[in-house]
């Protein structure tokens, strides 16, 4: 075997195959040395080797392959920057037997590659397939020159043809390397066939995609031209279809619309799009609905605010009896808002039990200010999207409740009532309270974004008014932006006043009756209130009065006569008394009135206590919360530590179980304010001394008998008063709250301020 020695050029991430060509620019001195060596001593021949992996800059001969390609340097030019540019042509593969490193020069001892014998048939068959696949490839790759194609067609050596073709293909380093080291031409041929088939497929797919794109473009251009032609024809014939009419109408409306630029731009964009959407596409209705919705928002529509405070007050008085403080605060709010025109002015939130006039007051404010009125209730809303709308992509999407209401309001500055803000839920579908914050925040609501509308809508001129039953349940983040105006339960006297001065007249009118024919006395109103209603407000009262008047109206149709509604008529029209809200039954020992505060106003919550044979246990019933249960234990503890003073027999407690029950079992009760009531009930039961049903009390108690402050006094007192109580014990620390109690009640009820339980004991039990 002929062996020879050639200088080695190492190629990094490059492969030179036989019959291929390579251009290199050499800048480093060592490499230049190799080139000179090859040119001067080896007739321009050298060996090109490509390591499969390059692990470091300093290659070890162990990292080098045992196959290389003999190359011939066909030109070498020294460039002005002293780099050498060389051109090398690949000649043949060579087996490498040994690398010889001498100083900076690396040589290799090489010999010809051993090739296994292949039969002529094998050679021809492989050649044929390769040529066929190559032709198919050329079909999709038309930029391969004819010269090369004919050269390949004439080539009959499998050895050569594989290398010629591989040199033409855009292959990765890994693929080329694979060809380099595969010395068997049949294997190389098979490998090439696979590659050609794959490349052809890829090329064809690419072409198809390009063709499809081109076709789409051509189609839409064609459609456009046809459409334009159709338009011209229709114009000639004076014919128009309904979509075009729609579009004309929409464009006209856009021109007349006094909306901000973003809206006009959006509308124009949508109409242009709408024009191109075919009638059969689902997009057609979606886009049309969107345009219609946007056009129905009352952009540019504003009502002029009434500025005269006297006129505003007049309207408020007309609709609501009393509520002087509330009306005063509303007037102040309006004037401050007008004067400062401040963006940060808080939002009115009317808080109070149902039926006390929150909604109707908001309506009156709207009427007084000459603003349009809209109302939504957010009670139970737990899906944020209900407020901010669903995206257009959602089936049946619509704007949220805010924008829908603005559309209903027909002006951009209505009075917008948001009812039951304290009953808003929080669900998996986002946090509606957060959405509400965005709606109400003046900084953000200038560009309120509804998911459906997608464009900022200015809500900053809307006057929002909120209502709630319970301040504590209003989302915390909202609370400090609100101007809370509390409306409390009405006293019986106030209710009578409302009926006398407002409701009765309104209801007469509603039923087509006249004041001259139908009258009602104060005592009848009182009778109705205490026997047919049980509420903090006057909603039920209104309903009951309506029932009476409806029946009278029916009777009067054919036979008009004067009628004065007395308790006899009331019974006749309403049937049996429904409630006995005045507690006028004497209490037995162990029963004492406490005071409670429910969302429906203040109520009497009697506690009853009894004892029976047992082992000194305490039993608690009547829907008591944990705090109230603890309060009962504290009360018993306090009584036990003062048995002597309260004249209670110790044995009684040891040989009996004490049962404490809160009446009105359906109402959930909690909080510490029943402390004094529980104590009094225990003492009353164990001593057998009665406590008058006209007495009520409220206050937390400590183990040492101190009486501590409680909340919600006003509502509790009104509730107790409405139920006939005339003496109320309250903690001394609540003294200031008495200022809020209506004078009517202060005149009729004795308030006894206590700071130690002994004051109550002395008053109730000592005297007897
Ligand atoms: P809320 O919103 O607090 O539940 P509404 O505003 O619905 O109560 O009031 C219920 C009814 O009671 C309405 O018809 C309202 O006009 C009437 N009403 C409440 N308070 C007064 C009042 N002070 N004067 C006259 N009518 C009143």
């Amino acid at each position: 075997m002929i062996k020879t020695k050639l200088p080695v050029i190492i190629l990094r991430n490059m492969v030179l195959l036989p019959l291929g060509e390579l251009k290199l620019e050499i800048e480093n001195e060592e490499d230049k040395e190799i080139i000179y060596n090859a040119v001067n001593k080896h007739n321009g021949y050298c060996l090109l080797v490509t390591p499969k992996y390059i692990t470091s800059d300093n290659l070890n001969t162990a990292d080098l392959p045992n196959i290389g390609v003999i190359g011939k340097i066909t030109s070498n030019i020294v460039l002005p920057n002293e780099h050498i540019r060389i051109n090398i042509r690949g000649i043949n593969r060579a087996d490498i037997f040994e690398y010889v490193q001498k100083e900076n020069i690396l040589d290799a001892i090489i010999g010809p590659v051993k090739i296994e014998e292949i039969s002529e048939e094998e050679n021809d068959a492989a050649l044929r397939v390769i040529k066929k696949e190559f032709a198919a490839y050329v079909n999709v790759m038309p930029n391969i020159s004819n010269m090369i194609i004919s050269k390949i067609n004439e080539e009959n050596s499998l050895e050569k043809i594989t290398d010629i073709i591989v040199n033409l293909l855009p292959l990765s380093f890994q693929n080329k390397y694979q060809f380099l080291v595969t010395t068997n031409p049949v294997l190389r041929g098979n490998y090439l066939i696979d590659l050609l088939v794959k490349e052809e497929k890829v090329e064809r797919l690419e072409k198809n995609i390009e063709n499809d794109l081109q076709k789409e473009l051509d189609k839409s251009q064609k459609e456009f031209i046809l459409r334009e032609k159709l338009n011209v024809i229709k114009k000639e014939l004076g014919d128009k279809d309904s979509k075009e009419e729609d579009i004309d109408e929409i464009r006209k409306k856009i021109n007349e619309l006094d909306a901000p630029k973003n809206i006009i731009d959006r509308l124009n964009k949508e109409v242009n799009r709408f024009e191109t959407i075919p009638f059969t596409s689902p997009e057609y209705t979606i886009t049309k609905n969107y345009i219609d919705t946007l056009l129905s928002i009352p952009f540019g529509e504003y009502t002029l605010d009434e500025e005269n405070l006297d006129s505003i007050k007049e309207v408020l008085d007309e609709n609501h009896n009393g509520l002087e403080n509330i009306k005063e605060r509303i007037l102040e709010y309006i004037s401050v808002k007008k004067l400062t025109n401040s963006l940060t002015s808080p939002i009115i939130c009317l808080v109070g039990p149902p039926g006390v006039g929150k909604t109707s007051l908001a309506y009156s404010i709207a009427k007084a200010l000459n603003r349009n009125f809209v109302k939504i209730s957010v009670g139970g809303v737990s899906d944020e999207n209900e407020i901010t709308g669903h995206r257009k992509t959602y089936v049946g999407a619509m704007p949220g409740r805010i924008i829908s209401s603005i559309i209903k309001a027909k002006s951009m500055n209505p009075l917008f009532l948001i009812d039951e803000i304290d009953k808003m839920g929080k669900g998996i579908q986002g946090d509606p309270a957060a959405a509400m914050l965005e709606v109400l925040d003046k900084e953000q609501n200038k560009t309120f974004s509804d998911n459906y509308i997608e464009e900022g809508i200015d809500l900053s001129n809307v006057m929002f008014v909120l209502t709630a039953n319970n301040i504590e349940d209003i989302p915390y983040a909202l609370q400090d932006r609100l101007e809370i105006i509390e409306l409390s339960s009405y006293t019986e006297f106030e209710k009578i006043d409302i009926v006398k001065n407002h409701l009765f007249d309104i209801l007469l009118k509603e039923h087509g009756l006249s004041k001259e024919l139908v009258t009602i006395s104060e005592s009848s109103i009182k009778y109705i209130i205490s026997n047919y209603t049980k509420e903090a407000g006057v909603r039920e009262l209104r309903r009951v009065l309506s029932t009476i008047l409806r029946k009278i109206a029916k009777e009067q149709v054919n036979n008009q006569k004067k009628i004065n509604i007395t308790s006899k008529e009331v019974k006749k029209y309403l049937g049996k008394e429904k409630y006995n809200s005045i507690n006028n039954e004497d209490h037995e020992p162990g029963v004492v009135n406490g005071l409670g505060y429910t969302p429906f106003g203040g109520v009497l919550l009697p506690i009853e206590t009894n004892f029976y044979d047992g082992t000194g246990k305490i039993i608690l019933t009547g829907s008591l919360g944990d705090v109230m249960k603890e309060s009962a234990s504290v009360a018993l503890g306090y009584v036990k530590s003062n048995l002597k003073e309260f004249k209670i027999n110790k044995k009684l407690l040891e040989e009996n179980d004490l049962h404490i029950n809160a009446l009105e079992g359906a109402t959930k009760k909690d909080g510490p304010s029943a402390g004094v009531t529980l104590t009094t009930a225990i003492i009353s039961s164990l001593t057998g001394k009665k406590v008058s049903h006209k007495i009520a009390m409220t206050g937390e108690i400590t183990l040492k008998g101190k009486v501590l402050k409680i909340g919600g006094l006003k509502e509790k007192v009104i509730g107790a008063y409405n139920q006939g109580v005339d003496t109320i014990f309250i903690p001394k620390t609540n003294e200031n709250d008495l200022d809020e109690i209506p004078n009517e009640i202060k005149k009729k009820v004795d308030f006894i301020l206590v700071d130690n339980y002994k004051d109550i004991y002395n008053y109730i039990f000592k005297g007897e």
Side-chain angles (χ1 to χ4, degrees), residues 583-623:
N583 80 97
N584 45 17
E585 263 179 43
D586 233 15
H587 280 171
E588 289 193 37
V591 182
V592 180
N593 287 324
L595 298 177
Y597 177 47
T598 70
F600 306 101
V603 287
L604 277 187
L605 283 179
I607 302 278
E608 55 173 5
T609 311
N610 209 350
F611 59 90
Y612 33 73
D613 274 1
T615 54
K617 278 202 303 275
I618 178 169
I619 298 150
L620 299 168
T621 51
S623 299

Side-chain angles (χ1 to χ4, degrees), residues 513-542:
L513 298 166
S514 77
K515 269 200 250 192
E516 286 66 42
L517 282 180
V518 185
T519 50
I520 187 164
S521 69
E522 213 172 291
S523 62
S524 304
I525 302 173
K526 198 170 165 180
Y527 175 72
I528 296 171
I529 293 171
S530 42
N531 296 291
Y532 292 91
T533 69
K534 192 173 188 182
E535 60 175 346
V538 291
R539 199 180 284 165
E540 205 177 348
L541 182 56
R542 184 190 169 117

